[in-house]
């Protein structure tokens, strides 16, 4: 039973990541990595500052990864991805606009 489960799991991952590998799968994986990098950026900035901060790079990683994931969702016709990333991307862009607008004032976002 365990061997059959292992074989089924292997076949599943082979089908998903190898047999169906194409440009759009690679694009989607890069988009997800770009999007996930925002957490690494935020963690490093917080460690350097000694408290929790959200650097400007976090919002750019969010926007870039979100837009790329939205494109992937549109091409692959994935309604869950399209709806989730369309709204989120608007929020990321709005946050960047607010940060730029208030650049001269005290902001919770680091400029790095």
């Amino acid at each position: 039973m365990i061997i059959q489960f292992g074989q089924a799991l292997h076949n599943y991952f082979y089908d998903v990541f190898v047999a169906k590998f194409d440009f759009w799968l690679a694009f989607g994986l890069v988009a997800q990595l770009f999007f996930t990098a925002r957490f690494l950026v935020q963690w490093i900035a917080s460690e350097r500052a000694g408290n929790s901060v959200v650097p400007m790079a976090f919002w750019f990683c969010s926007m870039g990864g979100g837009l790329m994931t939205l494109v992937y969702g549109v091409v692959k016709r994935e309604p869950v991805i399209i709806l989730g990333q369309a709204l989120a991307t608007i929020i990321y862009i709005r946050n960047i606009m607010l940060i730029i607008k208030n650049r001269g004032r005290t902001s919770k976002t680091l400029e790095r």
Side-chain angles (χ1 to χ4, degrees):
M1 181 168 162
I2 293 176
I3 293 173
Q4 289 172 332
F5 176 73
Q7 289 172 337
L9 192 61
H10 172 269
N11 291 340
Y12 172 81
F13 283 118
Y14 180 85
D15 183 52
V16 170
F17 290 103
V18 178
K20 294 183 178 178
F21 191 84
D22 62 0
F23 170 79
W24 287 109
L25 177 59
F27 183 89
L29 290 171
V30 169
Q32 188 60 46
L33 287 172
F34 189 32
F35 189 73
T36 302
R38 69 195 187 131
F39 295 113
L40 183 60
V41 166
Q42 192 271 332
W43 178 33
I44 292 169
S46 292
E47 289 294 334
R48 286 182 178 168
N51 63 330
S52 184
V53 295
V54 181
M56 186 71 159
F58 175 89
W59 296 111
F60 282 112
C61 286
S62 298
M63 182 187 64
L67 283 172
M68 289 176 70
T69 304
L70 178 59
V71 168
Y72 176 80
V74 168
V75 168
K76 290 296 191 173
R77 298 175 183 230
E78 294 283 345
V80 173
I81 293 173
I82 294 168
L83 291 174
Q85 289 304 319
L87 179 59
T89 301
I90 291 168
I91 293 167
Y92 305 144
I93 292 169
R94 180 63 181 147
N95 272 297
I96 291 169
M97 290 169 60
L98 289 170
I99 291 166
I100 291 170
K101 176 183 171 189
N102 296 311
R103 191 170 284 250
R105 300 181 194 134
T106 304
S107 175
K108 301 274 187 210
T109 302
L110 292 181
E111 293 298 322
R112 288 189 235 174

